[in-house]
Amino acid sequence: MAFQISLKINGNGHDVELEDARPTLLDVLRERIGLTGTKKGCDRGQCGACTVLIDGRRVNSCLSLAVSLDGAEVTTVEGLSDGDTLHPVQAAFIENDGFQCGYCTPGQIMSAVGFLGETGGDASAEAVREGMSGNLCRCGAYAGIQDAVLDAQARMSKGGKT
Amino acid sequence: MADTPMVAAHHVRLGSNSGQPMTRRDGIAKVTGTATYAADNHPQNLLHAVFAGASIARGRVTSLDIKAALAHPGVVHVMTPDNTPALSQDPDQKTTPFTARIDVLQNDKVRYAGQPIAVILAETLEAAVEGARLVKATYDSDQARIGFDDGEAFAPEAVGISTPPKFSTGDFEGNRKKATQSASVEMETPLQYHNAMETHAVVAEWDGDHVTVDMPNQAIGLAKPGIANYFGIPPENVTLRSPYLGGGFGSKAVLFGPQMLGILAAREMKRPVKLVLKRGQMFGPVQHRSATRQTVRYDMDADNRFLAFEHTANVSTSSFDNWLDGAANAGLSLYATPSISVSHSGTRFDTGTPGAMRAPGIATGSAVIECAIDVAAEKAGMDPLEFRLLNYAEKDPSNGKPYSAKALRGCYKAAADSFGWKDRPLKPRQMRDENGLLTGWGMGTSIFHAPFFPAKARAVLRKDGSARAETSGADMGQGAWTVLWQMAADGLGMAADDIEFDIGHSDLPDGSVAGGSAHTASAGGALFAAGNDVIRQLAEIATQDKDSPLFGAGNERVLGENGRLFKAEDPNVGESYTDILQRAGIEEIEGKGRGNRDKASTETYAMFSHGAVFAEVKVDPDLFQVRVTRLVGAFAAGRIINPRLAQSQLTGGMIWGVGFALHEEGIHDKRSGRPLNNDFAGYHIPVLADVPHLEALLVDEEDPHVNDLGVKGVGELGITGTVGAIANAVWHATGVRTARYPIKIEDLLKGAQALKA
Amino acid sequence: MKAFDYQRPETIAEAIKAASKPGASYYAGGTNLLDLMKVGVRTPDSLIDITRLDDLKRIEPQKDGSLRIGALVRNSDLARNVDILSDYPAIAEALLSGASGQLRNSATVGGNLMQQPRCAYFYDPHSACNLHEVGEGCDALEGENGKHAVLGWTKTCIAVHPSDFCVPLAAMGARVVVDGPDGSREISIDEFYTLPGSVQPPGSALKQGEIITAIILPSDAKRFAPRARYIKLRDRTSYAFAIVSAAAMLHIGDGRIKDARIALGGVAANPWRAREAEDTLNGAEANEASFKKAADAALADAKPSGDNAHKIELARRILVRALKAAADGTPPKMPDLPGSVFAVGKEAR
Ligand SMILES: Cc1cc2nc3c(=O)[nH]c(=O)nc-3n(C[C@H](O)[C@H](O)[C@H](O)COP(=O)(O)OP(=O)(O)OC[C@H]3O[C@@H](n4cnc5c(N)ncnc54)[C@H](O)[C@@H]3O)c2cc1C
Ligand code: SF4
Ligand code: FES
Ligand code: FES
């Protein structure tokens, strides 16, 4: 059973042909649309590397059937910056050394963007630690990740764009 | 976590780049999703490959039913031992360094669960994945042997990377007799799996007998001939690209079966092939850390000084290869002891073969040693830090050599002060926090070798003032893109922004292995030397050119900085690189470099990085859940090229220590040998909530002997020391020492109940 | 993953019709079902995507004072809901102690109730497991079973129900509303889960085609709001399933416990309501001695199903802890580490 779905990804419309209903959003992004910024770390909802925003909410794209998302708006790490201007979370990750190998990073960043949206800007350090615990980092860049999310929160509450 | 103060100013800079806490030069690529990891490549006409793994751990595949797989829409081929051609080299031969015996569908034998038994090629990933599920195998299977009680014992010939399995020095027996007290600890450590976030992957495309391979690799210079051997082509016919690795930790230094199968499939199918391991497949063919059963014993005199140190380790390996974690060699150079006896024995498990995993040997061994030290300190009635200082090694106890540099005292002090160690009560179970949680403080000493590999690099300076530096080195997160770039720029006497820089490609000069915490020293040394070679040639031109202000500078030292060559003693006298080249009409100068370690130094000195880690844990007094609420480490590792990135490496290592101490354990079913927790929900690694407070202090250390630049490594140092520090803190909080890692709630509960009884 | 038919009905009636065929499965958040399909232990022929059934997405106070929660409400939305936070705080705490921020954004109420055990042998298609097929056997019995059941198990299956959310639901006696080919019915959460028998593995009362449409939180449970906690023991600070957990809700007046509600997680194939323990507390003083007595009563019938005797003691202790925490009062603000033993801190005491 073939399906035709349309997704709005990072503001651009994409019509995707699926030969059956199996592909996850993650595999559609990576293998069919060529948006490989989103990473696969486990494919089972256990690491957070595949985190994207669907209609503004952070989810694990590896456990989301693409066909079910027909019509959804998806934001991936590729769609976060405003032209050459980095999103405050992206900038904070660089400045606070919130990554090492960078493989978990797109997921961390999308998760942080989603998380900061959920909390409304007054998350404590402990709340950040809990809220970001769905994103594993095997390199152990957590010190920088925590600092980056708190820093981004401060920047965004000041209305800063980067 | 924000405060990671520098303990001392950084001494001599190599130039204007090194020593600076530059942010990562690959940062923008990594935060925007444009950094390309192997599996991100997607050549036209690609086939997806997925392998089916054995569901037994020992025996033979007697039949493979591939009909259903072949019938699945999208599946184009199933590779099995019946239709897979022989490789040009027996994959059980190890002809190049950093190779292992691998399984590449060359026969029907099964040596561990999850071993590839078929490869499914399909037009879509979904079809390939389903094809793998549809392959049905029958087996002739033998009882799996998992664990020290079931595995076959043997006497190893070597441990780690070819170090002897036994060592002794001094009058061990005599000293033991003299001793008035002793402390010993027996502990087990489990199988641990590297589990880099990026699973092993390959994208391979053949063009005639030339192959282009995108594959995360820590040792490009070795992988190239390795691949060439397997496929019977000259090394120059292999192009290997590995610009970014999503973590390695040792497991991406070796060529593994699945990736070779991907390359083989591409040759068979005459189409590009992408093969990416599933997370669950990371628990078999791509190495792990050996399990160990260790005993550590220290004998002391009446003044609490060590007389004898004994360390034995029974270490796991596979049934078909011989890598053993050198756990019992971890303490050879650690504490002052006049006599030492260490030995390893081996046990064969029906698992994949283990290999080097972040701080191999030392992490495993020091996890137990540091506990034994605290048990000894307790016997001596001494503070663990005082006790360690009393037994401080001024010379390497295993060979009497002086250390090339050892700022460990400074590390102890810096970390202890920042931690607030002086207030620690001697006895366990003394501290509670305001919420009634048991609180404990513990410490451990960090140590790691400072090896050096022969790496090569090239630098080019062009007439227009542009420059380029390159080596095949690898960035798996440790920061090679940044740190090596900084060193390359300093070699050329230019700003990092003003040079082009490239790594991670087999066409570049061999940057050697990114491993052993040697990459910055080795590849960085080579890059610096290559730049220096350019400057030397440039200086030769300028000092012989009558029109140059440097003419005749002769023996005087001429230096390059910011693209300008000048007299060392009078910086005002000089001119720009471009002026020199343009006048001379020279298009470009190419420099070559190799890092250098003085041979005599190696003979004379013991070379290590050191550190001290202090841990605070909170333990629920009834339920025994443990949280490491603070980790403070101080480390001395020679010249620090980039303090920001060095601290990240160190805190990352410390987090590995948390995982080792509290979480990581690969569990295999004793009957089937299959891994039971081969995923991230079962194989726990720390999450952010597990590491609320981390500090890594950098202690100034000048090492004039370790290599030309005095650079040592920081990638593995942080995990050593941390594991024991946490175990010691848990003891301090609860009064319980568990007999195994990871420290489990149930073991603490049992221990606490036994204490009460 | 096996290929499957996919339908996205617009109405509940259509959904039920489509799901009534054998081999059909509802697809909600997908976070459990897709996972099981990926490892190959669930191979439905068709998925009935119910994510567009907007009628199931509402949280509605009922006239009788109860709260009706649609089956498709996402776990995170429920945890943030003001009525939940004020009237049923242990529900929010349990939800927030589970999985991760991302997963909670996908996971639905119905899916959470219906999630399958996390037993490693169940997750391994090559192992024998009665949840793969009745009669296959149970490899956990002689295998790694340190996290398995200590209550209500038989040799048919010793797995535990992994849900956190269901534990306070069981404690307060929530009702599950289902609709199906034979019409709609309400099932008490106690009866919703079936424990393993001599042949039959554990499961739910749902029949093929039946859909959970809502959960009803009883109005009488609101009086526990000032003293309601969920505490969860785990071997990682976050993003880990419970080793054992407990929901405790107390109604205290004149220094005595007037009413208590208790359920345990991680001990049985269902969220385990401990009525005997509740009984011991009625009229008792809210102190450690009473709590210990209650815990002893709750675990009186417990027995290890393998290498897991420690879980009995841990379950006792977590129940005492949860009762103490409840007696101390619901924290004014959700702890930063919801449900954690490390959250039972200042806010609560
Ligand atoms: C890594 C990881 C960690 C997790 N940790 C925790 C944890 O700590 N605590 C915890 O409680 N949970 C945890 N979970 C489980 C998670 O809560 C469940 O996966 C989730 O609640 C399932 O909801 P869903 O909507 O995604 O269900 P689905 O996956 O869509 O469905 C699950 C099952 O429910 C059925 N179903 C769904 N909706 C209905 C309905 N309305 N009527 C009838 N049947 C229905 C489906 O047919 C399917 O059989 C974790 C999951 C993952 C992947
Ligand atoms: S305990 Fe239950 S789920 Fe686990 S193997 Fe046995 S029957 Fe299957
Ligand atoms: S890849 Fe989706 S959570 Fe790991
Ligand atoms: S930066 Fe490597 S896994 Fe997080």
Side-chain angles (χ1 to χ4, degrees):
Chain A
M1 200 169 28
F3 299 89
Q4 168 93 31
I5 59 166
S6 62
L7 297 169
K8 193 163 187 190
I9 305 172
N10 302 328
N12 304 317
H14 288 267
D15 291 328
V16 187
E17 195 79 52
L18 303 174
E19 59 288 347
D20 58 49
R22 285 179 296 183
T24 60
L25 175 61
L26 175 60
D27 289 334
V28 165
L29 290 171
R30 288 185 53 79
E31 306 297 343
R32 293 170 191 249
I33 297 181
L35 287 171
T36 54
T38 308
K39 298 294 184 248
K40 183 183 286 188
C42 70
D43 211 22
R44 311 257 315 263
Q46 300 169 351
C47 78
C50 64
T51 306
V52 300
L53 304 184
I54 298 180
D55 298 328
R57 296 157 65 105
R58 53 174 174 158
V59 301
N60 300 121
S61 60
C62 69
L63 288 185
S64 309
L65 282 182
V67 67
S68 175
L69 297 170
D70 190 13
E73 276 194 36
V74 178
T75 311
T76 71
V77 72
E78 289 98 338
L80 214 50
S81 62
D82 180 4
D84 282 346
T85 312
L86 293 178
H87 186 282
V89 172
Q90 291 174 311
F93 265 74
I94 293 182
E95 282 163 42
N96 294 279
D97 212 32
F99 53 91
Q100 293 176 24
C101 77
Y103 195 82
C104 70
T105 312
Q108 300 277 0
I109 287 175
M110 297 316 292
S111 185
V113 172
F115 169 77
L116 292 171
E118 290 161 16
T119 58
D122 61 349
S124 67
E126 187 84 304
V128 167
R129 290 192 282 267
E130 164 64 30
M132 291 296 293
S133 277
N135 292 83
L136 303 187
C137 174
R138 184 51 158 168
C139 294
Y142 292 130
I145 291 169
Q146 175 188 312
D147 290 348
V149 177
L150 286 167
D151 182 16
Q153 173 172 264
R155 291 174 196 227
M156 287 162 77
S157 71
K158 287 190 206 114
K161 281 196 116 185
T162 53
Chain B
M1 288 206 231
D3 50 331
T4 37
M6 238 57 74
V7 169
H10 292 88
H11 55 82
V12 221
R13 283 185 176 171
L14 297 183
S16 48
N17 303 288
S18 297
Q20 291 200 42
M22 236 173 230
T23 55
R24 287 179 198 261
R25 302 198 65 86
D26 50 358
I28 303 241
K30 285 180 175 174
V31 302
T32 54
T34 50
T36 3
Y37 300 80
D40 298 342
N41 290 287
H42 201 104
Q44 290 274 312
N45 200 27
L46 176 89
L47 277 175
H48 292 271
V50 171
F51 73 83
S55 63
I56 64 162
R58 187 158 72 112
R60 236 164 39 79
V61 177
T62 48
S63 73
L64 269 178
D65 182 351
I66 58 171
K67 277 199 262 359
L70 278 173
H72 190 72
V75 172
V76 297
H77 183 55
V78 177
M79 284 166 66
T80 69
D82 285 343
N83 62 18
T84 300
L87 289 180
S88 300
Q89 178 197 299
D90 174 0
D92 272 353
Q93 294 292 312
K94 298 193 266 187
T95 51
T96 52
F98 283 88
T99 39
R101 297 199 169 119
I102 61 173
D103 298 282
V104 205
L105 300 182
Q106 303 288 296
N107 54 51
D108 61 7
K109 256 177 115 167
V110 175
R111 322 199 267 198
Y112 54 91
Q115 176 192 313
I117 55 168
V119 175
I120 292 74
L121 291 138
E123 300 289 349
T124 65
L125 178 56
E126 292 76 20
V129 168
E130 176 62 0
R133 193 180 73 85
L134 292 172
V135 169
K136 294 286 176 256
T138 56
Y139 304 93
D140 182 0
S141 70
D142 297 319
Q143 174 61 41
R145 300 155 303 183
I146 302 281
F148 289 104
D149 299 327
D150 295 338
E152 183 190 317
F154 76 106
E157 282 169 18
V159 297
I161 302 174
S162 52
T163 41
K166 284 189 180 11
F167 175 83
S168 64
T169 184
D171 179 12
F172 181 76
E173 290 304 330
N175 278 342
R176 258 218 177 153
K177 289 199 187 92
K178 275 192 256 164
T180 56
Q181 46 187 341
S182 77
S184 80
V185 164
E186 280 178 44
M187 275 189 106
E188 291 193 12
T189 66
L191 299 170
Q192 296 175 350
Y193 285 87
H194 299 74
N195 272 315
M197 267 337 267
E198 174 203 36
T199 61
H200 291 66
V202 67
V203 177
E205 181 166 16
W206 288 82
D207 180 5
D209 62 353
H210 182 282
V211 66
T212 302
V213 179
D214 293 297
M215 179 174 80
N217 192 278
Q218 294 175 235
I220 291 171
L222 295 171
K224 186 170 157 151
I227 295 170
N229 286 352
Y230 284 133
F231 292 94
I233 52 176
E236 57 275 18
N237 285 14
V238 177
T239 302
L240 174 60
R241 301 184 294 204
S242 180
Y244 303 101
L245 291 83
F249 315 115
S251 77
K252 288 175 183 161
V254 180
L255 300 175
F256 291 116
Q259 288 159 313
M260 296 311 103
L261 280 168
I263 300 174
L264 188 57
R267 196 178 65 183
E268 288 301 291
M269 304 305 295
K270 302 191 169 53
R271 283 174 68 176
V273 164
K274 168 155 38 173
L275 185 149
V276 183
L277 268 70
K278 300 205 235 179
R279 177 57 54 190
Q281 297 178 324
M282 297 287 285
F283 293 69
V286 293
Q287 298 187 333
H288 58 272
R289 198 195 295 281
S290 301
T292 68
R293 210 173 236 184
Q294 302 180 50
T295 306
V296 173
R297 174 167 155 175
Y298 280 97
D299 285 84
M300 299 178 277
D301 65 16
D303 296 330
N304 303 320
R305 288 203 161 78
F306 294 146
L307 285 170
F309 161 54
E310 183 182 27
H311 194 164
T312 59
N314 187 351
V315 183
S316 74
T317 187
S318 67
S319 66
F320 57 95
D321 210 339
N322 287 322
W323 167 275
L324 289 176
D325 189 78
N329 289 337
L332 290 178
S333 308
L334 199 47
Y335 295 103
T337 329
S339 59
I340 298 176
S341 167
V342 304
S343 69
H344 295 83
S345 55
T347 303
R348 300 197 179 281
F349 293 12
D350 291 313
T351 60
T353 306
M357 177 161 155
R358 203 169 190 173
I362 306 218
T364 334
S366 83
V368 183
I369 292 171
E370 293 302 322
C371 291
I373 295 290
D374 266 39
V375 171
E378 192 198 355
K379 293 222 162 149
M382 287 182 72
D383 170 79
L385 175 55
E386 292 300 314
F387 184 73
R388 281 174 174 81
L389 286 167
L390 180 73
N391 288 293
Y392 193 87
E394 300 291 354
K395 287 186 171 172
D396 186 331
S398 70
N399 52 26
K401 290 181 190 176
Y403 294 99
S404 57
K406 178 173 178 177
L408 178 57
R409 275 205 184 80
C411 297
Y412 284 140
K413 181 163 174 20
D417 286 353
S418 174
F419 185 87
W421 180 258
K422 67 176 175 13
D423 301 324
R424 177 183 180 275
L426 211 50
K427 296 236 164 326
R429 292 187 70 93
Q430 303 297 303
M431 299 195 292
R432 293 244 184 181
D433 76 355
E434 66 280 13
N435 298 320
L437 295 168
L438 299 172
T439 304
W441 290 355
M443 69 169 296
T445 304
S446 307
I447 186 167
F448 202 75
H449 323 275
F452 193 86
F453 304 134
K456 294 181 207 156
R458 175 167 53 228
V460 171
L461 175 68
R462 304 186 197 100
K463 196 162 74 176
D464 61 2
S466 67
R468 176 183 175 85
E470 54 192 24
T471 182
S472 73
D475 194 326
M476 49 193 177
Q478 82 281 34
W481 272 112
T482 311
V483 171
L484 297 186
W485 196 324
Q486 286 175 277
M487 295 174 82
D490 280 344
L492 281 162
M494 296 174 72
D497 283 341
D498 293 342
I499 71 165
E500 300 152 27
F501 181 72
D502 203 9
I503 55 172
H505 195 292
S506 62
D507 291 350
L508 307 175
D510 182 2
S512 192
V513 187
S517 292
H519 201 42
T520 304
S522 308
L527 284 160
F528 186 77
N532 277 187
D533 188 34
V534 168
I535 300 302
R536 182 189 52 76
Q537 296 175 50
L538 193 66
E540 239 162 60
I541 298 166
T543 55
Q544 285 165 27
D545 179 353
K546 281 197 223 61
D547 295 334
S548 168
L550 294 165
F551 176 67
N555 294 335
E556 264 180 292
R557 263 192 354 124
V558 173
L559 296 181
E561 215 174 280
N562 285 325
R564 189 171 161 276
L565 208 60
F566 56 88
K567 284 189 183 177
E569 36 175 56
D570 186 359
N572 287 324
V573 181
E575 62 177 332
S576 74
Y577 296 171
T578 31
D579 286 351
I580 299 168
L581 288 176
Q582 266 166 10
R583 215 172 33 242
I586 293 176
E587 280 306 316
E588 61 174 45
I589 302 181
E590 181 176 308
K592 293 212 161 94
R594 281 171 173 278
N596 186 39
R597 166 179 280 175
D598 181 31
K599 274 234 174 66
S601 291
T602 323
E603 302 292 304
T604 317
Y605 296 100
M607 298 174 179
F608 293 93
S609 302
H610 290 92
V613 179
F614 292 78
E616 174 182 270
V617 303
K618 301 260 167 100
V619 185
D620 188 286
D622 308 309
L623 295 157
F624 296 100
Q625 193 175 320
V626 179
R627 193 176 192 208
V628 182
T629 44
R630 277 197 303 144
L631 275 179
V632 179
F635 303 92
R639 182 195 297 275
I640 299 299
I641 302 297
N642 184 322
R644 181 197 303 263
L645 271 55
Q647 283 169 332
S648 287
Q649 283 291 288
L650 291 163
T651 51
M654 289 155 76
I655 291 167
W656 272 58
V658 175
F660 193 130
L662 299 182
H663 304 298
E664 294 188 37
E665 177 180 28
I667 301 170
H668 291 248
D669 184 74
K670 291 264 182 338
R671 300 156 296 181
S672 70
R674 285 195 294 278
L676 288 174
N677 62 343
N678 54 342
D679 58 38
F680 277 137
Y683 187 93
H684 277 179
I685 62 169
V687 294
L688 179 49
D690 288 307
V691 288
H693 181 100
L694 298 159
E695 274 178 57
L697 312 173
L698 299 172
V699 170
D700 204 32
E701 180 185 81
E702 210 163 329
D703 193 328
H705 308 295
V706 68
N707 48 51
D708 287 354
L709 305 180
V711 173
K712 302 196 253 198
V714 289
E716 298 171 273
L717 187 56
I719 177 171
T720 74
T722 304
V723 186
I726 293 169
N728 288 333
V730 168
W731 169 80
H732 192 236
T734 62
V736 178
R737 282 202 180 278
T738 62
R740 56 178 177 173
Y741 288 109
I743 298 169
K744 294 182 189 187
I745 288 173
E746 68 233 48
D747 290 347
L748 291 175
L749 172 70
K750 283 173 201 157
Q753 285 172 330
L755 272 187
K756 264 200 169 160
Chain C
M1 194 190 292
K2 200 183 98 172
F4 50 87
D5 285 341
Y6 171 85
Q7 277 167 272
R8 196 165 58 219
E10 306 278 323
T11 66
I12 297 177
E14 278 171 41
I16 292 171
K17 186 152 177 256
S20 294
K21 277 200 229 117
S25 218
Y26 290 116
Y27 172 89
T31 60
N32 190 224
L33 182 58
L34 265 189
D35 186 27
L36 292 167
M37 289 166 66
K38 285 184 182 194
V39 296
V41 298
R42 286 291 178 257
T43 49
D45 298 323
S46 63
L47 285 195
I48 316 305
D49 181 347
I50 53 176
T51 55
R52 310 281 169 106
L53 299 181
D54 292 342
D55 286 351
L56 305 186
K57 294 180 180 170
R58 288 192 289 270
I59 303 175
E60 296 163 318
Q62 304 294 102
K63 283 203 200 82
D64 65 358
S66 61
L67 189 67
R68 184 189 167 97
I69 304 160
L72 280 175
V73 173
R74 307 281 172 172
N75 287 185
S76 52
D77 293 333
L78 185 58
R80 271 195 292 266
N81 178 272
V82 286
D83 291 331
I84 290 287
L85 284 167
S86 69
D87 297 344
Y88 307 98
I91 296 275
E93 187 164 23
L95 284 166
L96 292 174
S97 76
S100 67
Q102 293 95 310
L103 286 163
R104 294 191 296 268
N105 273 343
S106 294
T108 64
V109 160
N112 195 313
L113 258 66
M114 292 299 290
Q115 64 175 298
Q116 301 291 298
R118 308 296 295 196
C119 171
Y121 298 97
F122 167 56
Y123 264 84
D124 172 18
H126 299 291
S127 290
C129 169
N130 286 320
L131 287 184
H132 296 163
E133 218 181 293
V134 177
E136 221 176 63
C138 169
D139 269 350
L141 278 177
E142 305 292 326
E144 293 288 333
N145 47 26
K147 294 200 166 139
H148 283 68
V150 293
L151 282 165
W153 56 270
T154 67
K155 291 205 164 175
T156 308
C157 178
I158 58 173
V160 299
H161 198 268
S163 166
D164 294 302
F165 171 50
C166 291
V167 182
L169 286 182
M172 68 177 60
R175 298 192 305 280
V176 185
V177 188
V178 303
D179 204 347
D182 304 330
S184 135
R185 57 187 179 130
E186 257 184 53
I187 315 170
S188 81
I189 186 127
D190 277 352
E191 280 153 24
F192 185 77
Y193 293 106
T194 53
L195 289 170
S198 55
V199 181
Q200 209 54 34
S204 81
L206 283 195
K207 293 183 236 150
Q208 182 71 47
E210 279 191 319
I211 184 172
I212 302 174
T213 52
I215 296 196
I216 295 184
L217 307 185
S219 68
D220 69 354
K222 286 184 192 166
R223 71 199 132 111
F224 299 114
R227 299 177 199 281
R229 288 304 298 273
Y230 178 73
I231 311 285
K232 170 181 182 185
L233 184 67
R234 38 198 147 166
D235 45 26
R236 180 162 77 179
T237 308
S238 183
Y239 205 11
F241 286 96
I243 298 171
V244 290
S245 69
M249 304 172 190
L250 295 173
H251 179 47
I252 299 181
D254 309 326
R256 302 246 156 209
I257 298 170
K258 291 191 154 165
D259 200 356
R261 293 280 190 278
I262 297 171
L264 292 167
V267 295
N270 65 4
W272 186 268
R273 173 88 177 261
R275 284 212 169 69
E276 322 71 44
E278 293 171 3
D279 292 344
T280 69
L281 288 173
N282 282 335
E285 269 181 64
N287 60 26
E288 178 138 3
S290 318
F291 299 155
K292 282 196 163 145
K293 208 170 130 200
D296 287 341
L299 277 303
D301 293 336
K303 56 181 193 313
S305 59
D307 190 16
N308 61 355
H310 59 272
K311 281 188 71 171
I312 299 174
E313 183 57 24
L314 290 172
R316 241 184 233 121
R317 293 177 180 213
I318 197 118
L319 181 49
V320 172
R321 171 63 54 81
L323 284 165
K324 270 197 224 168
D328 286 344
T330 306
K333 179 179 160 283
M334 181 62 64
D336 282 338
L337 295 176
S340 171
V341 299
F342 299 111
V344 192
K346 262 176 287 190
E347 313 105 313
R349 283 180 188 205

